[in-house]
């Protein structure tokens, strides 16, 4: 794997830390700025909304720029946002810093996935995307405990200073290690020097060209499958603390290590899913989604058993993230490398997160209990399986037609 992938993974790690660490710092931040818990919560929800908007807006606005330059600019925006949060004199500036930092999130992972896959041979593209996303999954494991630990020892501002420093390292790494041709067809001389990497077709650069990618039914089916798969997993995960404490019988003090078990599952699923997708992508995606639906349903049935809950939350992480690398390479393949489609995939996942969390909350409010979000999540993921099966069948039919020789 090229060293440029490590720089991309470091950027993903920093962005993931920014997203997750705030959960462990909210009480300190709320107290520091004398705001309510609800107001402090906007530091999380405002970030999520900014991710969904920024993924499309920034990708569209930078459509014609070289992708390495875009990534450098996005990480610089990330550094500025976290620096604002670190020095914020009041709540308003803190919220602004969170929004600015979040603007880069969707575009970084969307455009970064295209750059990552261009650095390796085509048959390893899903693994390359998985390496880049490894930073995000590791941040999911470490983000909350990192924020809580640093905040407790040195104050919440120190956590944002640390993330700012990580952002600067990622910025330097991307500038130094990611080649200038990344994300597009490399010149013949560069292709000759690259080891085992194959050039793919020139990706569309103009906004009008990129919008044409959305004429493909395969792009839309993949986006819908992405939204539903994330919605099912996040709908269950949003209320997992209640499931553990109210159903499984764990104490609130156990939540930290239980969430780390889930996070380790994400790391494993990401790497395994990347390898599987490079062998047979559509089959791997269908199996991963079926595995997630089955895991969520079993979790609902066995939630009262503590040991089973630990095993199943790990499998929930594995199966939940195993589809991510394949979904990203699938949507970008059918979009012919359009960055807007890659970023739309990130937006689709955030839309799914919001939908799943809402439906899970509706189920609890209806008096169905704290295992209800698990069953709701399983149902949503089954819809994703159905969409993915249709997409795979249509893709096979198209390939079969293309192979028929002309008379």
């Amino acid at each position: 794997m090229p060293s440029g992938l490590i720089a991309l993974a470091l950027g993903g790690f920093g962005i993931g830390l920014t997203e997750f660490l705030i959960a462990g710092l909210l009480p300190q931040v709320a107290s520091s700025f004398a705001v309510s818990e609800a107001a402090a919560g906007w530091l999380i929800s405002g970030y999520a909304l900014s991710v969904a908007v920024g993924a499309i807006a920034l990708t569209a606005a930078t459509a014609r720029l070289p992708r390495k330059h875009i990534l450098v600019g996005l990480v610089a925006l990330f550094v500025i946002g976290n620096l604002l949060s670190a020095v914020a004199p009041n709540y308003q500036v803190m919220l602004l810093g969170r929004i600015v930092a979040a603007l880069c999130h969707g575009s970084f992972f969307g455009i970064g996935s295209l750059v990552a896959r261009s650095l390796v041979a085509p048959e390893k593209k899903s693994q390359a995307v998985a390496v880049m996303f490894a930073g995000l999954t590791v941040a999911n494991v470490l983000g909350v405990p990192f924020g809580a630990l640093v905040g407790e020892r040195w104050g919440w501002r120190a956590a944002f200073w640390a993330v700012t420093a990580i952002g600067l390292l990622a910025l330097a790494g991307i500038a130094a290690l990611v080649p200038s041709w990344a994300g597009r067809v490399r010149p013949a001389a560069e292709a000759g020097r690259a080891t085992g990497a194959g050039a793919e077709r020139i990706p569309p650069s103009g906004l009008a060209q990129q919008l044409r990618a959305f004429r493909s039914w395969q792009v839309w089916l993949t986006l819908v499958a992405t939204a539903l798969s994330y919605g099912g997993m996040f709908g269950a995960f949003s209320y997992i603390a209640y499931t553990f404490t109210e159903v499984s019988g764990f104490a609130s003090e156990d939540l930290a290590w239980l969430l780390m078990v889930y996070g380790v599952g994400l790391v494993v699923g990401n790497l395994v899913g990347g390898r599987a997708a490079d062998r047979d992508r559509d089959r791997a995606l269908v199996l991963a989604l079926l595995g997630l639906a089955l895991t969520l349903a079993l979790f609902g049935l066995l939630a009262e058993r503590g040991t089973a809950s630990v095993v199943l939350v790990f499998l929930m992480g594995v199966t939940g993230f195993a589809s991510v690398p394949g979904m990203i390479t699938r949507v970008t393949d059918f979009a012919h490398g359009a960055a807007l489609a890659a970023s739309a995939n990130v937006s689709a996942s955030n839309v799914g997160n919001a939908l799943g969390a809402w439906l899970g909350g509706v189920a609890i409010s209806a008096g169905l209990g704290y295992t209800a979000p698990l069953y709701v999540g399983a149902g949503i993921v089954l819809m994703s399986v159905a969409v993915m099966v249709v997409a795979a069948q249509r893709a096979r039919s198209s390939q079969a037609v293309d192979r028929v020789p002309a008379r």
Side-chain angles (χ1 to χ4, degrees):
M1 289 291 175
S3 56
L5 280 178
I6 306 302
L8 293 173
L10 181 60
F13 176 67
I15 291 173
L17 275 184
T18 296
E19 181 178 13
F20 300 121
L21 66 79
I22 189 65
L25 299 172
L26 273 187
Q28 290 188 43
V29 174
S31 175
S32 177
F33 292 131
V35 297
S36 67
E37 292 84 352
W42 272 101
L43 298 174
I44 296 176
S45 54
Y47 185 98
L49 290 173
S50 184
V51 169
V53 173
I56 301 297
L58 285 183
T59 304
T62 58
R64 291 190 176 276
L65 297 179
R67 286 176 177 171
K68 175 181 177 177
H69 296 173
I70 297 171
L71 288 177
V72 170
L74 290 172
V75 178
L77 192 66
F78 165 79
V79 170
I80 292 169
N82 281 284
L83 186 59
L84 277 174
S85 296
V87 302
N90 53 49
Y91 170 79
Q92 288 75 18
V93 175
M94 177 73 176
L95 181 59
L96 176 63
R98 292 286 293 168
I99 291 172
V100 170
L103 285 173
C104 77
H105 185 124
S107 292
F108 179 86
F109 286 108
I111 296 171
S113 65
L114 296 172
V115 170
R117 59 179 287 170
S118 74
L119 297 177
V120 300
E123 64 271 16
K124 292 185 177 181
K125 58 191 175 186
S126 294
Q127 293 179 62
V129 172
V131 169
M132 189 195 76
F133 270 82
L136 177 64
T137 56
V138 171
N140 197 302
V141 178
L142 300 178
V144 175
F146 172 83
L149 177 64
V150 174
E152 181 181 346
R153 290 176 177 258
W154 297 291
W156 65 266
R157 293 182 188 274
F160 285 96
W161 280 113
V163 175
T164 300
I166 292 171
L168 288 171
L169 286 175
L171 181 65
I174 291 171
L177 301 176
V178 173
S180 59
W181 45 257
R184 59 181 176 83
V185 172
R186 63 196 70 182
E190 293 286 1
R193 288 197 294 267
T195 303
E200 299 180 352
R201 64 180 291 173
I202 298 174
S205 56
L207 182 58
Q209 288 178 296
Q210 295 198 53
L211 287 172
R212 291 193 194 105
F214 292 94
R215 296 177 181 176
S216 167
W217 273 105
Q218 288 293 342
V219 169
W220 284 107
L221 287 170
T222 309
L223 292 176
V224 171
T226 295
L228 291 172
S229 63
Y230 268 88
M233 181 177 67
F234 199 77
F237 179 73
S238 297
Y239 305 96
I240 201 71
Y242 295 102
T243 305
F244 278 134
T245 57
E246 302 298 327
V247 182
S248 303
F250 288 100
S252 57
E253 292 80 9
D254 294 319
L255 290 177
W257 69 264
L258 288 167
L259 292 178
M260 289 189 71
V261 170
Y262 170 75
V264 171
L266 294 180
V267 175
V268 173
N270 175 54
L271 297 176
V272 171
R275 285 184 173 274
D278 281 333
R279 295 190 184 99
D280 188 336
R281 185 170 58 199
D282 284 356
R283 183 173 181 270
L285 289 173
V286 170
L287 290 176
L289 294 173
L290 279 173
L292 177 59
L294 179 62
T295 298
L296 293 175
L298 284 175
F299 201 165
L301 289 171
L302 303 176
E304 293 182 355
R305 303 180 184 180
T307 302
S309 295
V310 175
V311 174
L312 287 165
V313 79
F314 171 75
L315 292 177
M316 180 177 157
V318 173
T319 55
F321 225 82
S323 63
V324 172
M327 285 292 191
I328 292 173
T329 57
R330 193 178 201 281
V331 77
T332 50
D333 275 352
F334 283 104
H336 305 302
L340 196 60
S343 295
N345 196 70
V346 179
S347 290
S349 67
N350 279 271
V351 170
N353 290 350
L355 173 67
W358 175 68
L359 289 175
V362 168
I364 292 174
S365 299
L368 300 178
Y370 290 117
T371 58
L374 293 164
Y375 293 119
V376 170
I380 296 173
V381 175
L382 282 177
M383 289 191 285
S384 180
V385 173
V387 173
M388 194 61 242
V389 168
V390 171
Q393 289 177 341
R394 289 177 65 101
R396 280 198 299 271
S397 298
S398 298
Q399 289 169 359
V401 171
D402 290 342
R403 284 195 294 266
V404 174
R407 293 186 178 181

